[in-house]
Amino acid sequence: MKSKFISLIIILSYPFFVIAQVKEDLMKVDAGLLQNSMRYQIKSKGMSNLIPKIYFKDYKLEFAKAGWEKGFTRERAKLFYPEGAFDSNSKSNQKYSYVFIGPENNSLIANVSAFRSQDIFQLEGERYTTSKIREIKIEFYTVLSLKLDSSEWQLLIKYAIGSKVPDQFQFSGTLTDGVRTIEIRPVVEHMSGMQNPRFYGTLGVHYGYEFVLGDEAIAALQARFINKDYIWFKKDMGSDLEFAIAGSIPSILFMMNWIDDSWEQN
């Protein structure tokens, strides 16, 4: 009888747990992960070479260095538009490196290579300027070298939006050590079940990411359009796997700075 009473309490309290999650303004997280995970807020304190020094749980960004961004931009006027219009094409490359510290004196060194290209048409009117995104592509490649077990993980993320892109939006992301491969998927829904009206119908908009191993979500990152940044870790995940995911977060946050919100508003 006592066990039934406890079960009834759990069942009745679960809707209140979900309501509390919604009130906190959270992205939608896989139900299984939500029930078997711990959530940590991602905070920052100070800067390292103009990059925020983030920290969460037992992890922190100890040092980061951003190299010079190299690229070019070419604009071509369209004279047959009376208001004024032009094509804009640009490409840029940048490299980052950072040192990430974890529990039990574990650490990793990450080297990031970033590439971005964009093809945009802009029409200038008397009151406003409109833009048509033909194609914007971003590629982030990161090598994570872990200290304690000398393992190496590779993070590769590709993001593309625009009329030239199949389905107008494509995203792919993987984190692998050659044996295990974690798929990174964008999360486009809010916990309330409704998207923010400002982004309704806009391709490419997402609140964060889920990390999926096999068919199971083992971690999630919330980092866009919502008040606070959070990360969820599955409770029984191995420490090596958790550290690899945690170590990839600075790279993903760097990438998200390159996904300019205004691209997704046009």
Side-chain angles (χ1 to χ4, degrees), residues 150-237:
S150 299
S151 62
E152 182 177 283
W153 288 77
Q154 297 181 10
L155 171 71
L156 177 61
I157 294 180
K158 296 182 179 182
Y159 168 97
I161 60 172
S163 57
K164 290 184 178 180
V165 178
D167 298 325
Q168 299 186 58
F169 169 61
Q170 290 188 332
F171 179 95
S172 65
T174 55
L175 176 65
T176 181
D177 64 351
V179 178
R180 294 165 292 183
T181 297
I182 299 170
E183 185 180 357
I184 302 170
R185 302 173 181 174
V187 177
V188 300
E189 293 184 73
H190 191 270
M191 183 66 75
S192 65
M194 297 182 64
Q195 290 183 318
N196 189 316
R198 290 179 299 163
F199 313 120
Y200 180 77
T202 305
L203 295 170
V205 170
H206 52 286
Y207 293 108
Y209 305 94
E210 280 188 347
F211 298 78
V212 180
L213 181 62
D215 296 325
E216 182 182 21
I218 59 174
L221 168 67
Q222 170 178 298
R224 300 189 75 209
F225 307 131
I226 303 180
N227 294 331
K228 296 180 181 179
D229 295 346
Y230 290 108
I231 187 164
W232 289 259
F233 287 125
K234 186 170 177 282
K235 289 180 180 179
D236 56 354
M237 180 167 47

Side-chain angles (χ1 to χ4, degrees), residues 108-128:
L108 62 81
I109 297 175
N111 291 294
V112 186
S113 297
F115 170 77
R116 175 179 59 199
S117 66
Q118 62 184 49
D119 179 4
I120 297 176
F121 171 77
Q122 290 188 331
L123 179 63
E124 297 182 351
E126 294 182 0
R127 297 183 179 179
Y128 55 87

Side-chain angles (χ1 to χ4, degrees), residues 98-101 106-110 144-147 243-244 246-248:
Y98 59 87
V99 177
F100 197 73
I101 306 297
N106 202 358
S107 64
L108 62 81
I109 297 175
L144 307 166
S145 301
L146 281 63
K147 176 183 177 182
F243 186 55
S248 72

